[in-house]
């Protein structure tokens, strides 16, 4: 456990800890009723911290040591249908194994928060960070938010419950933090006071719409659809409602971040963060922990007189189309840096979304896809310096090159 | 309407014509040794013995025919009571009885009939070969009959479906304070969870995935335990979802001692989705994925013995049951419900499938019974204190051919395949007998030395 | 005053009660009214001879009690006569002027004694036996009777004669037909029964007619019966039991087709779709010849009543009436006689097998055709009449067991029963 620098009676005011431990403390602060755990690198220490918090009485929750990720989420789905606020974390192969109940969770409109301690997917065999796992499930219907810092991991998990349980949303939230870089990178983290979190989150009401409770018997998820009778329209009603929940989440996320700032005093950009975008002619678009190094590179380039700025995407699903377009309006070229791959398009998935948003908005900017940081590889300010150079050139000549693999020659 | 009643059942195949029943009846009822004075009459047919005695009809014609109100169906005992102080000896009751069950007795000078000896029939006690049994199953139906059927009428099971029988009986007994999981298969397939917003069950019910029934129930149960609410977490699952793709979650929940009642309805395959093979499908059986053709001769592997596997988890309770033995099934259901309040309870019910096994729909219970009488399946129960115990040992099993020939899915079997099955039955019986002899819980880390 | 019933049942004996039972099995809620001219709870006419003999106490013969009718939600209106049925309006009119509307009506009014047109009968006191009051009156009269004459050797007459003999009276029976219990037993059996009566001190005048009846001397009770042979039978108690006739007067002008009784089809439906009849009042198809006939016996009344109740309630489980089979049981002077089916008169190919053991007073007659049972009759013979009835109705092939059946019909029939419909 981390060193407690300034203990109060119930909780430390701040810790020096890594992202996995910060996540566990956020779970405790959120007064989660049930956690289910199964270890997998680089998430393992997170569930160890959860178990320790439960064992020490800091997290008065039911903990289920399930026999695999598939059951982890299944246990929690059952508990949520019985009204529990739930949490777990996984990554990579664990997420793949969990996929069957994972695919079902948003359709049941069951709010929860699950951390994806992002890891690159097999194969090649690998145990290190990369966004490929989370990106592979981007179309399943969960809300996905990517964190830049350990503090943001803690704050976003807590905010995640507020967002997930919002009546207009009622969807599960993945809070993604980078394997290795955030999971194991320790920094100072401030803990909000429990009373503040309690007031912020309120009393959960998880299963008002779909319950497995003998005091209000109902069938949960009867067979729906087919080609006849009420099937087609009933199915459409559910699917469309799910899409509406995702879209409503954009404003809810914004409001929740604003309230967090008001109550707790820490500001995090809800959808996208604009960094030194004033007068920027070229822009980098980043996601996750790489953003720190990218910001350093932007600073350095600005010092050299390059008019570059950065747009960090925090909320990736639902994709904040308007916010991305607004942020990029006025630049002459865009470079999008992904930590994962869209195999179908030979580019990064974030690039695909950004290009799509710009096209959708009638803003045909020259843009290029950069892929780096796969399987634990480092993305340094040097890498981003190169990206800035390439995008600046693109701004000059408009010649879009093919996807650049940043660690190709490392 | 009145309830069901205990009754004397006669199995002609077991009767050896010894007349002990008649002698004991005559002694008990007439103080006589003359079989003519017996109210049960065994008649020799050609090579078999037949029975004439009062059936204690539900709607007795003897009573309707009595002009003197001397015969009355007793609503408590079910016996058609005869009141000698009212009888006028007109014999019209004997016209109403098509069973030779009420007959003028010369010695008595009036009609006599069976009165079940106040629930302790002398004839049954005297019957050494076991041809006469006093069947008290009615007790169950009377008790359960008072309970609400927690499924709606009109579930669309196949004609003669045994699974629907199991569902309705089990849930009535378990009661309304229940969350019911019915993973994909026949059980939700017949409409228990419902379609497009309509449900077929009166308790909270859901489709888990085929794979995660035990896990979802674990979450539900733990949640309610934490809230201090007593809620039964119950699965009605098929053998495919339990033994194949759902086995991991089942095993995990059992190992953790989750307080669940998991009922596996074993119809030996994926019957709902078209009768495909599961790991519970027996050797030699035709299924749509173990077809019979020039090369194929049905399934080439033996069935996984799922209840034994569950026993090895040292669950709070494990049992096998059959709808042909409802008293046994109910006793186990009661114990399983009780056990599920302290740990994992697993009930494996063998459930013949008229559609998938290919036999006439009216023969379901007959086939279920034969499975037990041939030792094809064994009825036992286990708890960690008492260990495994056979609840219906069959020492002289019927030839398994009777069972195999009753089903179309075994029609193609070669003599070698039948021999394989026969050998398997003997091995299984010996194996279970050894477990029964060993007693107690399986060792935490079994030694195979 | 008009009341309405979904089901209206006129009569309260076996046919009526059986109909009530089966209709309630199918329709537990429909409004049922049962109206009967008897002022008491339901009883069976068949029990009346035993009330006369004292074997049955009048207060213990009732077939149902008030609690039963309450539980079945039945309005039981006793002591009320139905005057007429207005089928066009679906109402019945009661003697007191009230009306009861119905959706379905069952006429189960039974039969009433026939009074023969014997000169002088109207001028003397005599007894019939159809109601409980009749039975109580006859029992009282029998106690003081020294000499009694019974007109008619049917079941009513024979029972009455035996009871009077037991009571110490000098009894004579007069029967127009050649032997006692015509219709149920043949001459041999009747003779055997007759011998028992003779041994019991009863004089039998069979094949004889009562020509006239003369009143007794003035101031003396009783009368004298003058027979066709010229004998005069003086008596202080006269019982008339020459037969019964269906009670159909209430149907006059209703449009319901009546022959000797109410003509019904195999679901006991009359010629008017929502009017049914069952029991002694009904004239239904005979099993052997298909001709509609009166079959005034208790087991058939039950069968017809059951079918009528199911038909009225629309019970889809209804099975058509198999046709009436004559059958009866009779106990006399400690002996018992049973008849099931037909003697086979006029049926081509009927084979009859009769065993008479006069010394043991045992008689057995079996009638077969094509190895199917047509009838079986016995005195002091052991067989199960209900099983035999079923063998007849099912036309069970006896060929494989023919010899055994003829030799030991009870055992052979029980084996067949156990294998065929147990």
């Amino acid at each position: 456990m981390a060193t407690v620098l300034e203990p109060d009676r119930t909780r430390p005011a701040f810790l020096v800890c890594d992202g996995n431990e910060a996540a566990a403390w956020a779970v405790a602060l959120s007064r989660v009723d049930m956690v289910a755990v199964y270890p997998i690198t680089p998430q393992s220490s997170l569930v160890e911290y959860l178990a320790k918090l439960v064992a020490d009485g800091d997290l008065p929750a039911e903990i289920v040591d399930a026999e695999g990720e598939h059951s982890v989420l299944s246990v929690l789905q059952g508990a949520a249908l019985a009204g529990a606020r739930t949490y777990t974390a996984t990554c990579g192969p664990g997420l793949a194994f969990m996929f069957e109940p994972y695919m079902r969770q948003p359709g049941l409109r069951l709010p929860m928060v699950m951390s994806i301690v992002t890891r690159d997917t097999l194969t090649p065999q690998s145990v290190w960070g990369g966004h490929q796992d989370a990106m592979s499930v981007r179309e399943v219907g969960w809300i996905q938010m990517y964190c830049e810092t350990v503090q943001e991991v803690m704050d976003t998990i807590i905010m995640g419950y507020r967002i997930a349980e919002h009546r207009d949303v009622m969807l599960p939230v993945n809070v993604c933090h980078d394997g290795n870089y955030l999971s194991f990178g320790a920094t100072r983290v401030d803990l909000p006071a429990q009373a503040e979190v309690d007031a912020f989150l309120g009393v959960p009401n998880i299963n008002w719409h779909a319950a497995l409770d003998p005091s209000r018997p109902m069938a949960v998820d009867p067979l729906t659809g087919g080609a006849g009778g009420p099937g087609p329209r009933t199915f459409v009603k559910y699917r469309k409602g799910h899409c509406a929940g995702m879209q409503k989440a954009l404003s809810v996320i914004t409001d929740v971040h604003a309230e967090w700032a008001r109550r707790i005093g820490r500001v995090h950009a809800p959808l996208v963060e604009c960094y030194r975008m004033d007068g920027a002619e070229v822009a980098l678009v980043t996601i996750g922990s790489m953003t720190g190094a990218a910001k350093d590179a932007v600073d350095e380039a600005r010092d050299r007189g390059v008019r570059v700025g950065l747009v960090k995407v925090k909320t990736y699903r639902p994709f904040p189309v308007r916010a991305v377009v607004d942020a990029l309006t006025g630049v002459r070229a865009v470079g999008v840096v992904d930590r994962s791959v869209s195999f179908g398009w030979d580019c990064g998935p974030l690039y695909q979304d950004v290009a799509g948003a710009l096209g959708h908005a009638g803003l045909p900017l020259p843009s290029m896809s950069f892929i780096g940081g796969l399987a634990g590889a480092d993305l340094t300010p040097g890498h981003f310096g190169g990206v800035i150079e390439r995008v600046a050139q693109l701004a000059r000549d408009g010649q879009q090159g093919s996807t650049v693999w940043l660690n190709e020659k490392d | 309407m009145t309830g069901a009643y205990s009754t004397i059942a006669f199995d002609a195949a077991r009767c050896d014509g010894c007349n002990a029943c008649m002698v004991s009846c005559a002694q008990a009822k007439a103080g006589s040794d003359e079989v003519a004075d017996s109210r049960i009459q065994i008649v020799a047919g050609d090579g078999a013995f037949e029975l004439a005695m009062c059936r204690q009809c539900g709607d007795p014609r003897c009573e309707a025919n009595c002009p003197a109100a001397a015969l009355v169906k007793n609503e408590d005992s079910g016996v058609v009571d005869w009141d000698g102080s009212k009888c006028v000896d007109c014999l019209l009751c004997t016209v109403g009885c098509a069973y030779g069950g009420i007959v003028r007795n010369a010695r008595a000078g009036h009609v006599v009939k069976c009165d079940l000896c106040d629930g302790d029939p002398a004839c049954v006690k005297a019957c050494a070969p076991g041809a006469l049994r006093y069947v008290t199953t009615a007790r169950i139906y009377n008790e359960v009959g008072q309970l609400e059927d927690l499924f709606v009428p009109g579930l669309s099971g196949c004609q003669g479906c045994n699974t629907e029988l199991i569902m309705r009986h089990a849930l009535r007994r378990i009661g309304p304070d229940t969350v019911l999981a019915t993973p994909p298969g026949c059980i939700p397939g017949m409409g228990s969870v419902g379609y497009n917003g309509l449900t077929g069950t009166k308790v909270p019910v859901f489709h888990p995935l085929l794979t995660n029934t035990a896990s979802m129930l674990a979450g539900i149960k733990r949640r309610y335990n934490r809230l201090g609410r007593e809620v039964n977490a119950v699965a009605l699952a098929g053998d495919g979802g339990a033994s194949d793709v759902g086995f991991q979650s089942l095993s995990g929940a059992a190992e953790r001692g989750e307080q669940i009642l998991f009922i596996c309805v074993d119809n030996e395959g994926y019957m709902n989705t078209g009768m495909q093979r599961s790991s519970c499908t027996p050797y030699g059986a035709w299924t749509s994925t173990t077809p019979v053709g020039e090369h194929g001769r049905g399934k080439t592997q033996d069935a996984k013995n799922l209840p034994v596997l569950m026993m090895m988890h040292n669950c709070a309770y494990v049992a096998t049951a059959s709808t042909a033995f409802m008293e046994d099934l109910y006793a186990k259901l009661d114990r399983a419900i009780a056990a599920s309040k302290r740990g994992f309870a697993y009930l494996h019910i063998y459930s013949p499938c008229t559609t998938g096994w290919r036999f006439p729909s009216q023969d379901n219970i007959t086939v279920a019974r034969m499975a037990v009488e041939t030792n094809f399946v064994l009825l036992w129960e286990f708890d960690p204190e008492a260990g495994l115990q056979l609840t219906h040992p069959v020492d002289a099993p019927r030839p398994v051919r009777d069972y195999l020939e009753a089903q179309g899915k075994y029609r193609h079997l070669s003599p070698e395949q039948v021999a394989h099955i026969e050998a398997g039955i003997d091995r299984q019986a010996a194996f279970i007998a050894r477990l029964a002899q060993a007693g107690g819980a399986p060792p935490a880390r079994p030694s195979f030395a | 005053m008009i009341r309405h019933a979904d089901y209206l049942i006129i009569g309260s004996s076996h046919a009526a009660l059986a109909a009530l039972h089966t209709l309630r099995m199918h329709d537990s809620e429909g409004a049922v009214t049962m109206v009967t001219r008897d002022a008491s709870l339901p009883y069976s006419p068949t029990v009346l001879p035993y009330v006369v003999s004292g074997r049955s106490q009048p207060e213990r013969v009732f077939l149902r009690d008030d609690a039963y009718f309450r539980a079945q939600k039945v309005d039981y209106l006793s002591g009320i006569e139905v005057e007429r049925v207005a089928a066009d309006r679906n109402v019945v009119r009661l003697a007191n002027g009230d009306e009861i509307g119905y959706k379905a009506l069952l006429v189960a009014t039974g039969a009433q004694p026939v009074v023969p047109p014997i000169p002088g009968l109207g001028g003397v006191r005599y007894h019939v036996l159809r109601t409980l009051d009749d039975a109580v009156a006859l029992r009282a009269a029998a106690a003081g009777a020294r000499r009694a004459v019974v007109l008619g050797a049917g079941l009513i007459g024979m029972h009455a004669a035996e009871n009077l003999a037991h009571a110490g009276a000098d009894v004579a029976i007069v029967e127009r037909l050649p032997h006692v219990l015509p219709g149920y037993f043949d001459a041999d059996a009747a003779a055997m029964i007759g011998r028992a009566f003779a041994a019991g001190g009863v004089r039998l005048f069979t094949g004889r007619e009562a020509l006239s009846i003369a009143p007794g001397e003035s101031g003396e009770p009783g009368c004298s019966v003058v027979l066709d042979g010229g004998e005069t039978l003086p008596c202080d108690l006269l019982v008339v039991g020459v037969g019964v006739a269906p009670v159909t007067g209430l149907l006059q002008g209703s449009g319901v087709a009546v022959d000797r009784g109410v003509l019904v089809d195999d679901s006991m439906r009359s010629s008017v779709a929502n009017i049914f009849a069952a029991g002694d009042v009904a004239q239904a198809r005979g099993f052997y010849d298909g001709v509609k006939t009166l079959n005034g016996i208790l087991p058939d009344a039950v069968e017809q009543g059951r079918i009528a109740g199911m038909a009225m309630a629309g019970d889809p489980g209804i099975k058509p009436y198999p046709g009436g089979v004559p059958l009866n049981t009779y106990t006399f002077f400690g002996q018992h006689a049973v008849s099931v089916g037909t003697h086979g008169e006029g049926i081509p190919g009927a084979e009859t097998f009769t065993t008479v053991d006069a010394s043991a007073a045992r008689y057995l007659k079996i009638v077969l055709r094509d190895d199917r049972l047509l009838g079986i009759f016995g005195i002091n013979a052991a067989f199960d009449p209900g099983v035999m009835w079923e063998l007849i109705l099912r036309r069970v092939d006896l060929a494989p067991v023919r010899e055994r059946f003829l030799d030991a019909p009870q055992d052979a029939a029980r084996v067949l029963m156990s294998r065929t419909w147990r």
Side-chain angles (χ1 to χ4, degrees), chain B residues 91-434:
Chain B
L91 304 183
L92 282 166
C93 50
T94 68
V95 178
C97 179
Y99 302 99
I102 184 163
V103 179
R104 185 174 190 278
N105 178 264
R107 181 189 302 267
H110 53 71
V111 292
V112 295
K113 65 178 293 301
C114 171
D115 62 6
L116 295 181
C117 295
D118 289 328
D120 189 19
C123 57
V124 173
K125 284 187 285 193
C127 182
L132 293 171
R133 280 183 307 125
Y134 189 56
V135 180
T136 55
T137 321
R139 174 189 63 79
I140 294 165
Y141 291 88
N142 288 338
E143 288 171 12
V144 176
Q146 308 305 312
L147 305 173
E148 187 182 7
D149 183 351
L150 293 168
F151 288 103
V152 300
L155 294 181
S156 55
C158 298
Q159 190 175 39
C161 177
N162 194 55
T163 297
E164 183 176 352
L165 186 77
I166 293 168
M167 291 159 60
R168 291 186 188 277
H169 276 284
L171 200 54
R172 274 183 181 213
R173 192 55 161 181
I174 297 162
D177 291 327
T178 297
V179 172
L180 176 65
T182 68
C186 294
I187 293 164
M190 67 176 82
S192 56
V193 187
Y195 302 100
N196 289 320
L198 299 173
T199 180
T201 310
K202 299 178 190 173
V203 301
V205 62
F206 67 106
H207 285 111
L209 300 165
L210 191 57
T211 44
N212 70 358
T213 308
S215 305
M216 286 191 76
L217 285 175
I220 292 161
K221 181 64 179 182
R222 289 219 197 181
R223 168 68 175 167
Y224 283 119
N225 277 355
R226 231 181 150 78
L227 293 174
R229 286 180 57 186
E230 186 155 316
V231 173
N232 302 304
V234 178
L236 276 165
D239 56 284
S243 68
D244 288 342
V245 74
F247 183 68
Q248 174 176 322
S249 63
L250 175 62
S251 173
E255 180 271 329
R256 293 191 303 272
E258 304 287 359
Q259 293 166 8
I260 293 170
L261 170 53
F262 196 103
I263 299 174
C264 176
V265 179
D266 181 2
N267 54 21
E268 301 181 352
Y270 295 91
M271 296 318 184
N272 181 61
T273 191
M275 300 166 274
Q276 296 87 0
R277 166 210 198 274
S278 81
S279 55
C280 282
T281 303
Y283 171 87
W286 169 92
T287 69
S288 58
T289 52
T290 56
V292 175
E294 197 176 335
H295 302 294
R297 308 300 300 163
K299 194 188 176 199
T300 55
Q301 305 85 9
D302 288 318
K304 180 190 278 185
N305 197 327
L306 186 56
V308 169
L309 283 169
M310 296 313 294
M311 184 202 72
M312 295 306 286
H313 286 72
N314 202 17
C315 300
Y317 187 73
V318 178
T320 64
S322 162
T323 49
F325 298 85
M326 287 302 280
E327 272 184 293
D328 182 70
L329 192 156
Y330 264 101
K332 288 168 176 171
L333 187 56
D334 286 348
R335 285 195 276 278
I337 294 167
S340 73
K341 314 224 183 270
R342 56 178 192 271
F344 197 85
Y346 178 82
L347 188 55
H348 192 98
I349 306 180
Y350 297 107
S351 184
C353 170
T354 60
T355 308
W357 297 15
R358 302 190 164 178
F359 60 82
S361 58
Q362 73 270 22
D363 289 349
N364 210 314
I365 301 302
T366 306
V367 170
R369 185 179 299 281
M370 272 202 279
V372 174
E373 290 175 341
T374 57
N375 268 350
F376 193 84
V377 302
L378 299 167
L379 301 184
W380 52 264
E381 65 182 347
F382 164 87
D383 70 62
E385 281 74 41
L388 183 147
Q389 292 181 308
L390 284 159
T391 59
H392 188 87
V394 179
D395 298 329
R398 290 173 67 165
V400 75
R401 281 172 187 279
D402 293 354
Y403 177 66
L404 301 176
E405 284 168 7
Q407 301 164 53
K409 71 171 173 178
Y410 294 116
R411 189 181 298 135
H412 57 279
L413 291 185
S414 66
E416 293 74 24
Q417 286 178 299
V418 173
H420 177 100
I421 292 168
E422 287 168 342
I425 286 172
D426 292 344
R427 263 202 322 278
Q428 178 188 228
F431 176 70
I432 297 293
R434 279 201 303 277

Side-chain angles (χ1 to χ4, degrees), chain C residues 216-300:
Chain C
E217 301 296 316
S218 64
E220 289 221 359
C223 57
S224 292
V225 178
V226 180
L227 300 188
D228 50 3
E231 299 97 324
T232 297
L233 304 174
C235 62
D236 44 27
L237 179 63
L238 176 63
V239 178
V240 175
V242 300
V244 294
V247 177
T248 58
L250 72 169
L251 293 171
Q252 274 176 13
S254 68
V256 173
V258 175
D259 177 28
R260 293 169 62 205
V262 180
L263 291 165
V264 292
D265 66 11
D266 284 349
S267 56
M268 301 299 124
R269 194 186 300 270
S270 77
S271 61
V272 174
N274 64 339
I275 298 182
F276 299 77
D280 288 1
V281 75
Q283 188 173 339
R285 185 171 60 81
F287 175 76
Y288 297 99
D289 55 11
V291 174
K292 288 185 182 177
T293 183
L294 297 174
N295 194 27
I297 56 166
L298 193 161
D300 212 33

Side-chain angles (χ1 to χ4, degrees), chain B residues 88-89 104 109, chain C residues 50 53 55 157-173 180-181 190-204 330-337 360-361 379-380:
Chain B
V88 296
D89 201 20
R104 185 174 190 278
Chain C
Y50 306 97
S53 73
R55 180 157 187 169
M158 295 294 274
H159 272 298
E162 184 178 347
N163 290 336
L164 290 163
H166 285 312
D170 230 352
V171 185
I173 301 176
V180 300
L181 297 172
M192 200 173 272
I193 295 168
R195 281 197 291 279
F197 273 74
V202 176
R203 286 179 295 157
L204 283 174
Y330 177 48
T331 52
F332 57 98
F333 293 102
Q335 304 184 54
H336 60 97
I379 297 175
N380 301 323

Side-chain angles (χ1 to χ4, degrees), chain A residues 116-404:
Chain A
I116 301 178
V117 187
T118 56
R119 167 174 164 176
D120 229 308
T121 56
L122 311 183
T123 247
Q125 181 69 257
S126 157
V127 294
W128 297 282
H131 290 164
Q132 196 68 43
D133 52 0
M135 285 291 166
S136 296
V137 296
R138 65 190 183 275
E139 292 307 337
V140 174
W142 287 60
I143 291 169
Q144 280 193 351
M145 292 192 284
Y146 288 73
C147 297
E148 179 184 347
T149 65
V150 172
Q151 182 72 58
E152 196 178 13
V153 170
M154 169 172 287
D155 293 355
T156 304
I157 287 171
I158 299 169
M159 285 190 286
Y161 284 103
R162 180 74 187 276
I163 295 160
E165 293 167 12
H166 195 285
R167 286 253 178 165
D168 290 345
V169 178
M170 291 302 289
L171 286 168
V173 172
N174 280 145
V175 174
C176 307
H177 68 264
D178 286 59
N180 302 82
Y181 292 94
L182 288 177
S183 64
F184 304 145
T187 64
R188 170 181 163 135
V189 178
D190 291 315
L191 269 68
Q194 183 67 58
E196 285 289 349
V197 175
D198 290 347
F200 175 76
L201 288 182
V203 178
N205 190 353
I206 305 296
N207 65 345
W208 54 272
H209 63 302
L212 289 171
D213 181 345
S215 69
R216 42 188 182 118
M218 65 174 80
V220 169
D221 211 7
L223 209 57
T224 301
R233 65 174 171 273
T234 310
F235 197 90
V236 167
K237 182 180 85 174
Y238 288 128
R239 275 285 189 267
K240 214 176 152 188
H242 186 170
C243 286
M246 289 292 274
Q247 289 308 304
K248 286 176 186 165
L250 289 168
S251 59
V252 170
I253 290 167
T254 306
D255 294 347
V256 166
H257 279 72
E259 189 178 335
W260 182 261
R262 253 194 333 274
R263 283 180 181 272
I264 310 297
R266 270 196 298 280
V267 179
H268 301 285
L271 306 177
V272 300
E273 177 190 345
C274 294
Y275 182 76
R276 302 191 77 165
M277 285 295 289
D278 293 340
E281 290 185 344
V282 297
L284 301 190
V285 179
T286 61
I287 185 165
S289 67
M290 70 168 79
T291 306
K295 284 175 177 173
D296 286 349
V298 167
D299 290 343
E300 195 189 337
R302 280 279 185 175
D303 290 347
R304 286 189 280 107
V306 181
R307 296 170 71 185
V308 59
L310 180 146
V311 175
K312 179 190 82 174
V313 173
K314 177 177 187 181
T315 299
Y316 180 60
R317 284 292 180 271
F319 192 72
V321 175
R322 189 74 255 155
V324 167
V325 170
D326 287 349
L328 296 176
T329 298
V331 305
R332 290 167 52 206
V334 181
V336 182
V337 187
D338 274 281
R339 205 165 180 177
S340 60
V341 175
S342 165
F343 293 102
W345 283 79
D346 187 29
C347 63
L350 178 59
Y351 170 77
Q352 211 181 3
D353 282 297
V354 170
L358 293 173
H360 188 71
L363 199 65
L365 288 174
S367 60
M368 277 180 62
S369 174
F370 300 83
I371 293 173
L374 305 183
D378 200 2
L379 279 175
T380 63
H383 288 117
F384 287 105
V387 172
I388 292 167
E389 249 178 58
R390 182 67 188 86
V391 181
Q393 184 192 330
L394 175 64
R396 289 192 296 275
D397 62 18
Q399 298 293 309
Q400 290 193 182
S402 56
T403 294
V404 177

